[in-house]
Amino acid sequence: MLHWITCLFGLSRRYLPSSHHEDISGSFEPTLDDLRAEAIDFERQVKAHIGRESGKMPTGPLGQLIRDMLPKYPKYPQIPGFWDGFVVEAAALKELRNNIAHSDVQGLPPLPEIYGRFKKANDVLRPFTVCSVPRDRFTQFFWVKSLLHFKIDEQVFRLSERDIENLLVELHPSSRGKVRFKAGKQIHSAMLDIKNESRTYFVEDCAPFNLDDQEAMALDDLLISYLGPVRY
């Protein structure tokens, strides 16, 4: 992780990330919350896939949809047997989903294994999209001496280079929640949205704000673009 951060911020920077970031022990193993989010998203992805292919959002129990409708709308039909195997796996995941949604994992396979299976299934069902995320929520970027001023909605932020780097680390899915900051503002995030569609970000001395993954990527791009000219 620290190597990734070093590559992200460049080797010519004044401060090496290893001097002010450290990995949180055990943080790279999926948590029960991570598993629950993927399990809940699984039902959403099954219904969304059927809705896209059929032209109508389906209703009914998840098990019935997997049994009666999912086989009708294969992805990658050019790969023999792929969809048949996927439908079998989807039915097995459905049996696990209810337990996981209620945090009842007693007697289930190891958490990392189940997490990987749900994530793989969601990746298969999720459509490939190239989209442009509106950046209307992020405005008025300008530097005043060593602080970057900007707004998220109507909330004003004034962050130093170090603070921005910390925020970039927390915005990135691969490092989010897995790094402890030794310098700059403390920043963390949590999935408080019961629909698992957006995260709440907490920046020290600032009011919390919510971003979905696409908005987090957009803010990441903007911050890097404003950080670069100052540093280089």
Side-chain angles (χ1 to χ4, degrees), residues 22 53 57 62 91 114 129 145 147 150 164 179 189 206 218:
E22 63 180 3
E53 297 298 317
M57 189 58 65
L62 178 61
I114 310 176
T129 57
K145 296 184 178 179
L147 297 179
F150 63 95
I164 294 169
V179 172
S189 66
C206 301

Side-chain angles (χ1 to χ4, degrees), residues 4 8-9 163-172 175 187 219-221 223-224 227:
W4 172 83
L8 173 64
F9 295 127
D163 302 331
I164 294 169
E165 291 175 359
N166 292 356
L167 180 53
L168 287 170
V169 169
E170 190 63 24
L171 288 171
H172 200 285
S175 55
I187 299 172
L219 180 57
D220 180 282
D221 287 343
L223 290 174
I224 289 175
L227 190 62

Side-chain angles (χ1 to χ4, degrees), residues 64-141:
Q64 180 182 356
L65 296 178
I66 292 173
R67 182 180 64 252
D68 297 339
M69 298 192 69
L70 196 59
K72 299 178 182 179
Y73 305 108
K75 291 188 76 172
Y76 314 115
Q78 69 275 19
I79 304 177
F82 173 82
W83 197 246
D84 290 340
F86 181 82
V87 171
V88 171
E89 172 69 350
L93 292 176
K94 180 268 172 188
E95 295 301 318
L96 297 172
R97 181 196 174 281
N98 289 344
N99 294 68
I100 295 167
H102 294 92
S103 302
D104 180 13
V105 295
Q106 189 71 27
L108 299 184
L111 190 151
E113 175 188 328
I114 310 176
Y115 173 82
R117 289 170 62 187
F118 272 104
K119 191 173 189 314
K120 182 177 180 180
N122 288 337
D123 288 343
V124 169
L125 292 167
R126 190 176 292 114
F128 176 78
T129 57
V130 178
C131 58
S132 177
V133 180
R135 299 183 175 186
D136 299 349
R137 295 184 62 194
F138 315 121
T139 59
Q140 299 184 28
F141 286 80

Side-chain angles (χ1 to χ4, degrees), residues 143 146-148 158-166 184-185 227:
W143 285 94
S146 63
L147 297 179
L148 178 64
R158 301 177 181 87
L159 303 182
S160 68
E161 290 183 47
R162 176 70 69 246
D163 302 331
I164 294 169
E165 291 175 359
N166 292 356
K185 289 184 180 294
L227 190 62

